[in-house]
Amino acid sequence: MTIPSFSSDLANELQAIVGAQHTLTDEDKKQPFCKGFRLGGGEAYAVVRPSSLVEIWKVLQACVKADAIVIMQAANTGLTGGSTPNGDDYDRPIVVVSTMRIDDIHIINEGKQIVGLPGSTLFGLEERLKPFGREPHSVIGSSCIGASIVGGICNNSGGALVQRGPAYTELTLYAEVTPEGELRLVNHLGIDLGETPEEILSNLQNKTYQEADIQFPEKRASDNEYHERIRDVDAETPSRFNADPRRLHESSGCAGKLAVFAVRMDTFPIPEKHQVFYIGTNDPAVMEQIRRDMLSKFDNLPVSGEYMHKTCYDISKKYGKDSYLVIDKMGTKYMPKMFAMKRTVDRIASKFSFLPNKFSDRAMQFIADFFPNHLPQRMEEFRERFEHHWIVETANAGVDEAQAYLDEFFKDNEGDYFACTEREADQAILHRFVAGGAIGRYHLMDGKDLGSIMTIDVAFPRNEREWFETLPKELEDQIAVKMYYGHFFCHVMHQNYIMKKGVDAKAVKNKILESFDARGAEYPAEHNVGHEYIAKQALRDHYQKVDPTNAFNPGIGGTSKLKHWKELSKDDDCSGGGCGCH
């Protein structure tokens, strides 16, 4: 099947709404918005970049009227290809709506809550909250650089912080397409903003509402039960995963099946005292015992616990070095600018046949190799001694509790630890943070004699003790590189592989996933299905409930790409996949 084309009428209408400069129809200019951060890509009729919520609404009206598919896109940092077109087997033209020009964040209730507009990022939110002594649901330490607030809600993203659970709220403002095919604005933000869509959206963006207009309904603005759930270390189910029906509600977990204009979320006090402990061991059982003790016996839950295997440590050290240095020296707020610059450089470089693919990445890696070692000596010494590395952050009364426990524990158990200085703590957390992008850079630079990348995002049951992967020989022999990292307290692991040349990565992945099924694991854990995983029934039901005509982001999770969720007939060509009939 080939995507139908439109006449120029819709393009003219989109230009009239957002301006010609921000209506992209040129293939080169559309490319950064139509190709996934790590995987996936396809064609789009147009990419539009609105500057206001009202402009988004008018774009949606034009697209619904023209019967065009809409893919809402923020930072495009997803790791499973879920915010771009995928293949060419859609039955309607696609318009990608990039929201990054609308990045406002409103502070409400003395900083205890925020309202994030569609282009706002976690980096920006962290900066905005510092004067209030508060911090967001997720902070630096996740897998995605520059991730958006709304994107996190739409994908139930997990984040690194063990006390706060997946990104979740029941207070949102969104547009839906009804079963009758009509566009409708739904204000469940808990703020009185007026009556008509244009009035509501304009009042929100311009912040013309008053404090008296803010209501406090009995709805969650975070997963405020998670701290109890994660303590149950003997439960046979994972603590969090994308298809968990407990945390699928309207915008939360919608994966772009709604057009989300704003989300309202809780914030959290910055601890008065904090301490990071760096733990090393060669025995996975040691880490598991510490995990169980800290979660089930401590009076104070740890803040985070980020795991890196030694191979991940090494790959991140070399191939995440440029990102590390940029964030360390210039701050997180520079990252969106850096990514925009990279896209521009790659677009220009693609016009010159003598320049290699992804020229910006190659150039940045070349420059980074000239810089000296950026990691602290004590971490490097632990790398030589230990296979497993665990960065455990504690706060307030939990600092002394953890210190006393670790002192006593390592008297009789294999491994060691040290209490990080403030600088070492920043370095350790940042080193873990850049791991998510390092595997792709490794493959780009050294992958000419290797096969494809394959990634798995898995949540193991809370009672799982054999968490570290041991593959059967027939699978091990097909893999060239394995890179493991994750949020260990939550038992959420990111397992990345590079196949040997000629190996069928999909077949290997299916075998590994079969073993996870037998152990009661859930996947994906926090990156959502995108176009990499098949959505389980709870997710499929949620998608069809919020988007009955399949107008937004069709094909997600291997579902139908066709209008009204129809399936392709046997006579249609569905070789592109994702149609839901496989």
Side-chain angles (χ1 to χ4, degrees):
M1 177 183 292
T2 302
I3 301 174
S5 60
F6 273 147
S7 67
S8 60
D9 291 349
L10 179 59
N12 292 337
E13 191 170 354
L14 296 174
Q15 288 179 11
I17 297 168
V18 304
Q21 180 183 356
H22 298 293
T23 304
L24 310 180
T25 55
D26 179 81
E27 292 302 323
D28 286 343
K29 292 182 179 179
K30 288 189 295 182
Q31 194 268 346
F33 303 90
C34 294
K35 185 175 177 58
F37 177 73
R38 180 182 282 175
L39 60 85
E43 299 177 7
Y45 167 78
V47 175
V48 294
R49 302 178 64 244
S51 64
S52 71
L53 299 180
V54 171
E55 284 187 2
I56 293 180
W57 175 256
K58 291 180 178 179
V59 166
L60 295 177
Q61 286 180 313
C63 291
V64 170
K65 180 181 177 182
D67 198 21
I69 288 169
V70 173
I71 296 180
M72 301 294 295
Q73 183 185 97
N76 194 17
T77 59
L79 301 182
T80 57
S83 58
T84 64
N86 187 64
D88 61 359
D89 51 340
Y90 297 86
D91 61 344
R92 293 151 289 167
I94 299 166
V95 174
V96 176
V97 180
S98 172
T99 64
M100 293 305 290
R101 295 176 68 203
I102 312 170
D103 60 356
D104 295 343
I105 296 170
H106 299 174
I107 307 295
I108 61 175
N109 194 22
E110 300 178 329
K112 295 177 182 177
Q113 289 187 329
I114 63 97
V115 175
L117 301 196
S120 57
T121 65
L122 288 172
F123 286 157
L125 179 55
E126 212 171 341
E127 291 297 318
R128 286 293 311 277
L129 287 175
K130 281 181 181 177
F132 296 88
R134 312 283 294 186
E135 62 185 10
H137 159 269
S138 295
V139 296
I140 191 167
S142 63
S143 301
C144 304
I145 296 175
S148 72
I149 298 170
V150 169
I153 290 294
C154 292
N155 291 298
N156 285 138
S157 298
L161 304 182
V162 301
Q163 301 171 16
R164 301 178 192 174
Y168 181 76
T169 186
E170 296 166 2
L171 298 167
T172 63
L173 174 65
Y174 62 87
E176 64 180 4
V177 175
T178 68
E180 296 74 32
E182 297 177 358
L183 186 68
R184 186 169 77 102
L185 187 69
V186 179
N187 182 10
H188 287 168
L189 204 57
I191 303 175
D192 186 1
L193 295 166
E195 299 297 329
T196 69
E198 288 83 358
E199 184 183 12
I200 291 169
L201 297 171
S202 179
N203 285 338
L204 176 61
Q205 185 158 5
N206 296 327
K207 205 176 180 183
T208 56
Y209 57 90
Q210 306 299 315
E211 188 173 338
D213 296 320
I214 302 173
Q215 301 138 14
F216 294 90
E218 292 187 8
K219 292 185 177 183
R220 291 187 174 92
S222 62
D223 186 354
N224 55 7
E225 299 174 332
Y226 188 73
H227 63 285
E228 298 172 357
R229 185 175 176 83
I230 198 172
R231 282 188 178 277
D232 188 359
V233 295
D234 293 314
E236 296 180 350
T237 56
S239 57
R240 58 178 168 94
F241 55 97
N242 285 131
D244 186 351
R246 297 168 56 254
R247 292 298 174 255
L248 299 175
H249 180 83
E250 295 178 349
S251 298
S252 293
C254 74
K257 303 298 289 179
L258 295 168
V260 182
F261 290 92
V263 296
R264 180 173 163 184
M265 299 183 68
D266 291 333
T267 69
F268 302 86
I270 296 174
E272 295 179 4
K273 176 182 178 182
H274 75 277
Q275 177 64 57
V276 171
F277 299 99
Y278 197 97
I279 297 171
T281 179
N282 292 305
D283 185 357
V286 166
M287 281 184 57
E288 182 58 30
Q289 189 58 54
I290 296 173
R291 171 187 171 271
R292 295 177 66 87
D293 288 346
M294 285 187 169
L295 292 180
S296 63
K297 298 178 181 179
F298 274 32
D299 293 331
N300 306 276
L301 276 177
V303 174
S304 67
E306 294 300 289
Y307 167 71
M308 298 180 79
H309 183 258
K310 64 179 182 180
T311 305
C312 177
Y313 183 108
D314 293 343
I315 292 175
S316 297
K317 178 181 175 180
K318 181 174 177 61
Y319 296 102
K321 189 176 184 179
D322 56 312
S323 294
Y324 177 106
L325 292 173
V326 168
I327 296 173
D328 188 45
K329 304 302 181 186
M330 305 183 73
T332 56
K333 62 184 179 182
Y334 184 75
M335 293 306 291
K337 295 179 182 178
M338 189 186 82
F339 277 106
M341 182 177 67
K342 283 173 80 291
R343 287 195 296 266
T344 300
V345 169
D346 286 339
R347 181 168 59 83
I348 295 172
S350 67
K351 298 181 183 294
F352 299 92
S353 59
F354 61 89
L355 292 177
N357 180 42
K358 294 193 175 180
F359 176 76
S360 66
D361 282 281
R362 296 177 189 275
M364 291 175 71
Q365 186 63 46
F366 177 79
I367 295 169
D369 287 342
F370 285 96
F371 282 81
N373 184 10
H374 55 290
L375 298 180
Q377 182 179 349
R378 288 201 289 181
M379 278 178 58
E380 292 286 79
E381 291 172 353
F382 264 48
R383 166 60 188 89
E384 294 304 313
R385 294 172 58 192
F386 300 117
E387 180 176 358
H388 304 285
H389 298 246
W390 194 15
I391 307 160
V392 176
E393 184 177 359
T394 60
N396 298 333
V399 173
D400 293 338
E401 188 175 23
Q403 180 91 58
Y405 169 84
L406 292 172
D407 282 341
E408 191 66 28
F409 182 87
F410 282 113
K411 288 179 181 177
D412 302 314
N413 291 278
E414 186 273 338
D416 200 355
Y417 88 98
F418 63 86
C420 296
T421 65
E422 188 173 342
R423 175 60 178 159
E424 286 174 330
D426 291 342
Q427 290 173 296
I429 293 170
L430 185 50
H431 181 51
R432 158 64 186 90
F433 175 67
V434 300
I439 188 74
R441 177 71 64 79
Y442 176 94
H443 189 260
L444 175 69
M445 302 300 297
D446 295 338
K448 64 179 181 179
D449 296 321
L450 299 172
S452 59
I453 294 178
M454 184 263 285
T455 65
I456 295 178
D457 167 31
V458 60
F460 290 113
R462 284 165 280 175
N463 66 349
E464 177 65 77
R465 291 180 180 269
E466 303 299 322
W467 60 272
F468 187 69
E469 183 172 70
T470 303
L471 293 171
K473 188 175 185 304
E474 65 268 21
L475 293 181
E476 190 76 46
D477 289 347
Q478 300 181 72
I479 299 172
V481 179
K482 294 182 295 185
M483 180 174 165
Y484 300 142
Y485 57 98
H487 313 302
F488 189 66
F489 281 118
C490 304
H491 258 184
V492 168
M493 297 296 295
H494 304 304
Q495 304 191 166
N496 299 341
Y497 314 80
I498 301 179
M499 300 295 109
K500 292 180 179 178
K501 207 169 188 67
V503 169
D504 184 348
K506 186 176 181 180
V508 173
K509 184 171 187 173
N510 287 340
K511 288 287 186 182
I512 295 175
L513 293 182
E514 286 175 9
S515 72
F516 290 164
D517 290 337
R519 295 163 63 185
E522 292 281 354
Y523 51 85
E526 62 179 9
H527 291 161
N528 220 333
V529 289
H531 292 287
E532 187 172 13
Y533 295 90
I534 299 299
K536 295 186 177 179
Q537 195 60 51
L539 275 177
R540 288 173 175 257
D541 291 345
H542 185 54
Y543 297 160
Q544 290 192 256
K545 178 181 179 181
V546 298
D547 185 20
T549 69
N550 210 13
F552 293 105
N553 206 13
I556 204 80
T559 58
S560 172
K561 291 182 175 179
L562 308 185
K563 191 172 182 178
H564 296 300
W565 300 87
K566 294 179 181 177
E567 303 290 354
L568 288 174
S569 69
K570 293 181 180 179
D571 296 330
D572 287 315
D573 175 18
C574 55
S575 58
C579 56
C581 63
H582 295 292

